[in-house]
């Protein structure tokens, strides 16, 4: 879809090393291999901790520096917003022999397990709530015949500090991953009997805050700020003090989660294109007249 126009292209495996500023405006990016890609507009979907490292700060004015600092400020006493905690995940394929073939109240395709409703932090307490899903129970094409795919995770309740600084190859880290997996399996087995014994070798994947940080470049494994309802806290928009430079993603309006982050990109795109482009698109999508 992106490349349907001749002037559009997708560059994969292209690590951005620097956002280029010329005459106070964003003018493109420089890749890690030294290649320069010029552009009329630059949009960053990296989190603000990563984005701020992509600039030569000697080229930034005071307003832009303050804007970036405000986005990574987590100190509430100075107007900052706390970041969300991180995640632990498990993905697995299991043998479905003897299991029901359709979802029901007793064998749901999606469920939540809360260990302690009265925990001091409620459902946000670490290792308290687990969300589980078995999508192949609804759509069998997602798994081979006689098998199911499973996913279980804690929804932004895993403290990064408990994993920080660990060597991913150390016994300590591997042991902690197994402890996380055991906790998640126990939630899965609330509805799927002997789920871990059903696991198909080679399919079990365990994700930790360090996994998110390494493979998805999420600083401290977080996916956005934790806004308190009624606190008056808000998220920034997508324009920045640098002309032609926009920031999108879960640290911007409208917030966290896939629908919200997708919306942030759509908002930025709508901001960039001209009114005439908007009118042309409305002509293309106009509903047919009723006969």
């Amino acid at each position: 879809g992106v490349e349907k126009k001749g002037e559009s292209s997708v560059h994969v495996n292209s690590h951005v090393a620097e956002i280029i500023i010329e005459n106070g405006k964003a003018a493109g990016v420089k890749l890690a291999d030294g290649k320069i890609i010029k552009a009329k507009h630059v949009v960053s979907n990296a989190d603000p901790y990563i984005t701020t490292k992509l600039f030569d700060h000697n080229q930034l004015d005071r307003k832009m520096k303050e804007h970036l600092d405000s986005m990574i400020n987590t100190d509430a006493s100075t107007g900052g917003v706390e970041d969300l905690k991180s995640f632990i995940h498990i993905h697995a394929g299991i043998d479905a022999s003897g299991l029901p073939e359709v979802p029901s109240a007793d064998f749901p395709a999606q469920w939540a397990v809360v260990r302690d409703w009265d925990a001091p932090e409620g459902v946000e307490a670490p290792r308290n709530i687990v969300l589980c899903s078995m999508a192949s129970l609804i759509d069998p094409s997602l798994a081979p015949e006689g098998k199911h795919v499973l996913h279980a995770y804690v929804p932004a309740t895993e403290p990064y500090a408990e994993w920080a600084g660990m060597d991913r190859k150390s016994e300590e880290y591997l042991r902690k991953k197994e402890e996380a997996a055991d906790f998640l399996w126990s939630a899965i087995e609330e509805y799927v009997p002997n789920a871990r014994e059903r696991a198909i070798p080679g399919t079990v994947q365990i994700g930790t805050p360090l996994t998110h940080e390494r493979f998805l470049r999420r600083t401290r494994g977080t996916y956005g700020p934790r806004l308190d309802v009624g606190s008056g806290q808000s998220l920034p928009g997508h324009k920045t003090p640098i002309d032609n430079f926009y920031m999108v993603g879960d640290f911007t309006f409208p917030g966290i989660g896939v629908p919200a982050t997708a919306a942030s990109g759509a908002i930025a795109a709508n901001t960039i294109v001209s009114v005439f482009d908007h009118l042309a698109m409305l002509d293309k999508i106009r509903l047919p007249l009723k006969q």
Side-chain angles (χ1 to χ4, degrees):
V2 173
E3 295 187 321
K4 63 185 177 184
K5 290 188 176 182
E7 65 270 24
S8 301
S9 60
V10 175
H11 299 257
V12 296
N13 300 320
S14 301
H15 187 105
V16 173
E18 183 181 348
I19 296 169
I20 299 170
I21 304 296
E22 293 179 354
N23 300 318
K25 298 180 180 180
V29 296
K30 181 179 180 181
L31 304 184
D33 63 6
K35 181 179 180 180
I36 291 177
I37 301 175
K38 301 303 285 287
K40 294 179 180 178
H41 303 275
V42 177
V43 181
S44 175
N45 186 45
D47 72 44
Y49 298 96
I50 299 296
T51 299
T52 192
K53 297 176 183 178
L54 299 178
F55 287 107
D56 175 356
H57 281 242
N58 291 322
Q59 294 185 311
L60 301 182
D61 62 18
R62 177 182 57 81
K63 287 185 177 180
M64 186 59 187
K65 290 179 180 179
E66 290 177 351
H67 181 74
L68 291 170
D69 287 345
S70 70
M71 293 187 72
I72 60 176
N73 179 17
T74 58
D75 183 356
S77 67
T78 58
V81 181
E82 176 188 6
D83 288 340
L84 288 168
K85 295 174 186 173
S86 192
F87 296 76
I88 52 174
H89 291 256
I90 190 167
H91 293 265
I94 65 168
D95 186 339
S97 300
L99 297 177
E101 296 181 359
V102 295
S104 66
D106 293 326
F107 193 71
Q110 187 171 25
W111 64 98
V113 175
V114 179
R115 296 303 185 194
D116 183 3
W117 287 102
D118 297 318
E121 295 180 66
V123 293
E124 292 188 73
R127 305 282 176 97
N128 190 24
I129 182 171
V130 183
L131 303 181
C132 310
S133 62
M134 188 159 45
S136 53
L137 189 60
I138 296 175
D139 182 355
S141 70
L142 296 176
E145 185 176 354
K147 305 293 188 294
H148 276 311
V149 289
L150 282 170
H151 176 215
Y153 69 101
V154 299
T157 61
E158 185 72 7
Y160 176 81
E162 296 184 7
W163 300 80
M166 282 191 178
D167 179 349
R168 293 180 297 102
K169 297 180 181 179
S170 68
E171 288 296 324
E172 178 189 20
Y173 178 67
L174 297 177
R175 183 171 59 254
K176 195 168 182 65
K177 280 183 70 174
E178 288 305 316
E179 290 173 357
D182 180 68
F183 171 73
L184 295 170
W185 276 122
S186 69
I188 292 171
E189 289 174 340
E190 292 280 330
Y191 286 97
V192 183
N194 305 315
R196 69 189 83 191
E197 282 75 33
R198 294 173 176 271
I200 299 167
T203 68
V204 179
Q205 297 183 8
I206 306 164
T208 73
L210 300 190
T211 310
H212 288 271
E213 188 170 52
R214 181 188 181 202
F215 290 99
L216 299 172
R217 297 182 185 172
R218 303 301 310 199
T219 303
R220 294 195 291 274
T222 186
Y223 281 81
R226 182 188 180 281
L227 298 180
D228 285 323
V229 175
S231 67
Q233 297 170 328
S234 62
L235 293 170
H238 311 102
K239 286 186 175 182
T240 71
I242 295 180
D243 289 342
N244 303 337
F245 178 67
Y246 302 81
M247 294 178 69
V248 299
D250 38 31
F251 278 81
T252 67
F253 178 84
I256 63 173
V258 173
T261 53
S264 74
I267 294 169
N270 278 284
T271 302
I272 291 170
V273 299
S274 70
V275 173
F276 299 104
D277 288 326
H278 279 282
L279 293 174
M281 179 58 69
L282 290 174
D283 285 338
K284 288 182 179 180
I285 64 175
R286 180 177 295 165
L287 295 175
L289 297 175
K290 291 184 178 180
Q291 301 296 327

